[in-house]
Amino acid sequence: MKQEELNLILENHKKWLNDDDGGIRADLRGADLRGANLRGADLSYADLSDANLRGANLRGADLSYADLSDADLSYANLSNASLSNANLRGADLSNAKLSDANLWSTIGNQRQIITIQTDVWQIVYTSDVMQIGCQRHSINDWLVFSDDHISKMDSKALDFWKKWKPILVLILERNK
């Protein structure tokens, strides 16, 4: 896809998000966006299913509520991107950079981003970071937090952690 065409789609999508005249939701299903520079782009609610975003720069992009199912995001830079409520089912995130990405309520691909729905909070984790509810910390930090530290996160946190920590440790060990 040519940059001019992509810029027009992003401009019309922004209008759609703002409920302005002439706005059109970004429909990039199956689009070839290999290596595209989408740094800081607002693609919230966009349809990027089956898109080829291999090696794309999505650093700081807003992909909240976006459909990225079955998209190729291998080698993509998703650092500081918002993936909250994004659908990543079947997406290829091999070698993607996910540092400081917002994973709040993300539907993971169950390989690089694992999503577990529990009785209280959703757990989303990558190879090095785990987000439980709104709390995001390194996996190593989660595993060494004291009961006192956990209890200060939320009134339900300690009971939740006592129930789920042993299960999560098993899951993490099996997925190494």
Side-chain angles (χ1 to χ4, degrees), residues 27 91 105:
D27 183 352
S105 292

Side-chain angles (χ1 to χ4, degrees), residues 29-43:
R29 283 177 289 182
D32 185 352
L33 299 168
R34 281 177 290 181
N37 185 3
L38 292 162
R39 184 179 180 144
D42 189 346
L43 287 162

